[in-house]
Amino acid sequence: MGHSSSGFSKTGLDRLREVLAGHVESGKIPGLVALVSQGEETHVETLGTMRHNGGAPMRRDTIFRMASTTKPVAASATMVLLDECRLRLDDPVDRWLPELADRQVLTRPDGPLDDTVPARRPITVRDLLTSTSGLGLDLTAKTAPIMGALFEQGVYGQQDGWLLPAPEPDEWMRRLATLPLTYQPGQRWQYNLSDDVLGVLVARVTGQPLETFLRERIFEPLGMTDTGFHVPADQIHRLPPLYAPDWQSGEFNVEDPAEGGHHSEPPAFPSSGGGLDSTADDYHAYFRMLLNGGMHDGRRILSRAAVELMTTNRLTPEQQAAREVYARNVLHTGYGLGQHGGWGFGMAVRTYRGDYAPVGQFGWDGGAGTTTYADPENQLVGILLTQTGMSTPDSANAIHDFWTTLYQAIDN
């Protein structure tokens, strides 16, 4: 592929491929799909195989479990409702989510569940969008009673350790309502739970299942034909197994098979915190729309103002500091990813330069080994999709090297 003065250098793209190929050839990652674009130029690499022991090759249209990389996409459903004045940022959510009215808040985040004070104010739409609702998964405080209670109540987790919600939305909300908030509404950034509540909010405001609304308002207009909360039976051959390599033996344990796995039929709870399946091209269409200020092929998907709100930092310095502690100590960001500072709606936003990417870059990573960010300064989108979860550093290291080499490939 030729390049113009505003694109990638051939040397840089060759090096990107070489570095990614090294990760696949090491035997630690069975395969991957990488997509990078700048302006009108798009470049795709497919390496390795769908299974750890060979077989069908990875393809450009391979479908991946997006896990937490779902968050930046699912948040757009709420933005549509804000654009249409069907929701307002500072509306209390009690009207649609009465289960969350009149909350009690833990006196200490790690304290007993019955030691509480009343919430100082209701939870708002803004609190949910910024993940400051007072609800969250704090994987740095696994011994806190509230963390145990979230799993005991079945808000999260099933017998096999799957982290997505299992019950249908109304039952899930009922279980959530039995628990206090960890922090006062608007006080502190906490991971994940607010995103799943947003999905319930959208369904109740619209009177449609979350997936139906996303499909009509976001996926279909963007041509995201392979994005949804499960993979249809006639397409399941395009979904690889999800592996959780054993960090000692390196053995490829199947965390989620394709056929008969968690993504082979519609889930009872469509998780806007982590449930989407998608492809590199579908995600590229979405992030390119954000870079284009909400436009796609001459059609407006979101207002420019909505996109700017989503993709710029919404946290106070104190909230950012608390989020950084979390990012350093947990899961996929614990391997040196995710040092960004800020958080918008459903995604990280870089507020300082901590690696090769500039301030303003936005996006997120997923525990199933996915990463997607867009960078307004360079008009750049980068997507790397693997089928290896973050149980070992291997996918995280490949993601790290992907971004490091991608930024060196910019030739302007």
Side-chain angles (χ1 to χ4, degrees):
M1 178 176 285
H3 70 90
S4 65
S5 58
S6 65
F8 303 108
S9 72
K10 171 149 186 352
T11 317
L13 290 176
D14 288 348
R15 185 140 178 277
L16 175 70
R17 180 186 171 87
E18 196 181 305
V19 166
L20 292 175
H23 283 282
V24 172
E25 285 154 14
S26 74
K28 301 286 182 67
I29 295 175
L32 57 83
V33 176
L35 182 152
V36 299
S37 80
Q38 191 181 35
E40 297 301 301
E41 180 183 353
T42 301
H43 185 85
V44 177
E45 295 289 356
T46 56
L47 294 163
T49 52
M50 298 275 283
R51 294 174 190 277
H52 79 88
N53 49 3
M58 279 287 180
R59 297 183 2 173
R60 181 167 179 163
D61 70 350
T62 294
I63 297 170
F64 292 86
R65 297 161 191 78
M66 300 310 291
S68 285
T69 320
T70 295
K71 292 175 171 68
V73 171
S76 64
T78 308
M79 305 314 290
V80 171
L81 297 178
L82 290 171
D83 273 347
E84 297 183 350
C85 300
R86 292 159 79 180
L87 282 175
R88 298 181 197 93
L89 276 169
D90 295 306
D91 278 347
V93 296
D94 304 3
R95 177 180 155 195
W96 299 280
L97 306 173
E99 298 93 337
L100 296 182
D102 306 317
R103 294 288 79 199
Q104 290 289 309
V105 182
L106 292 175
T107 307
R108 296 199 332 273
D110 58 350
L113 297 181
D114 54 2
D115 183 5
T116 61
V117 295
R120 292 194 282 266
R121 62 165 179 79
I123 295 169
T124 64
V125 176
R126 185 189 299 272
D127 297 330
L128 290 174
L129 279 165
T130 51
S131 289
T132 59
S133 65
L135 296 159
L137 283 180
D138 188 349
L139 300 173
T140 61
K142 289 181 181 170
T143 55
I146 187 67
M147 280 294 287
L150 283 169
F151 290 96
E152 281 153 32
Q153 280 294 328
V155 172
Y156 281 112
Q158 291 152 276
Q159 287 67 39
D160 57 1
W162 198 247
L163 204 63
L164 299 183
E168 51 83 31
D170 291 351
E171 170 61 15
W172 186 79
M173 290 298 299
R174 188 194 68 74
R175 294 181 189 191
L176 194 57
T178 65
L179 301 172
L181 304 183
T182 316
Y183 293 95
Q184 288 286 343
Q187 182 186 350
R188 191 182 177 103
W189 182 91
Q190 281 187 287
Y191 196 48
N192 205 74
L193 228 157
S194 293
D195 294 281
D196 278 331
V197 176
L198 275 178
V200 181
L201 177 68
V202 168
R204 290 189 180 175
V205 172
T206 61
Q208 290 179 294
L210 173 63
E211 184 165 19
T212 305
F213 187 70
L214 275 167
R215 182 155 282 128
E216 287 177 7
R217 305 307 300 271
I218 304 293
F219 301 162
E220 281 176 2
L222 288 172
M224 296 171 69
T225 51
D226 290 313
T227 303
F229 290 103
H230 85 290
V231 181
D234 64 350
Q235 301 297 320
I236 199 86
H237 61 281
R238 293 167 56 198
L239 179 74
L242 175 64
Y243 295 109
D246 184 281
W247 62 275
Q248 282 177 314
S249 69
E251 188 185 344
F252 280 93
N253 302 317
V254 174
E255 187 173 355
D256 184 44
E259 293 85 358
H262 286 285
H263 292 260
S264 64
E265 52 189 62
F269 189 105
S271 169
S272 51
L276 284 176
D277 303 299
S278 193
T279 62
D281 281 300
D282 278 14
Y283 256 61
H284 182 221
Y286 178 79
F287 274 80
R288 187 50 65 192
M289 176 273 291
L290 294 181
L291 281 185
N292 291 338
M295 293 292 286
H296 174 77
D297 282 349
R299 177 174 178 182
R300 184 155 289 290
I301 311 295
L302 294 172
S303 69
R304 177 174 290 278
V307 172
E308 287 171 357
L309 257 181
M310 285 177 85
T311 60
T312 53
N313 177 47
R314 308 260 63 86
L315 301 183
T316 65
E318 296 74 29
Q319 289 170 335
Q320 287 188 60
R323 189 180 98 66
E324 289 280 285
V325 170
Y326 185 85
R328 274 199 297 278
N329 287 308
V330 174
L331 218 69
H332 38 281
T333 50
Y335 296 118
L337 301 176
Q339 306 291 301
H340 327 84
W343 192 258
F345 293 161
M347 63 186 101
V349 179
R350 285 180 198 271
T351 53
Y352 64 88
R353 187 143 196 171
D355 57 28
Y356 283 37
V359 169
Q361 188 208 43
F362 56 81
W364 197 226
D365 309 290
T370 57
T371 186
T372 307
Y373 288 82
D375 164 2
E377 182 181 315
N378 293 293
Q379 285 297 302
L380 178 87
V381 177
I383 299 168
L384 178 67
L385 308 175
T386 76
Q387 81 274 55
T388 316
M390 301 282 192
S391 58
T392 58
D394 300 308
S395 271
N397 287 341
I399 287 170
H400 199 281
D401 295 350
F402 167 73
W403 290 111
T404 301
T405 48
L406 174 53
Y407 272 97
Q408 294 173 70
I410 300 172
D411 186 31
N412 53 356

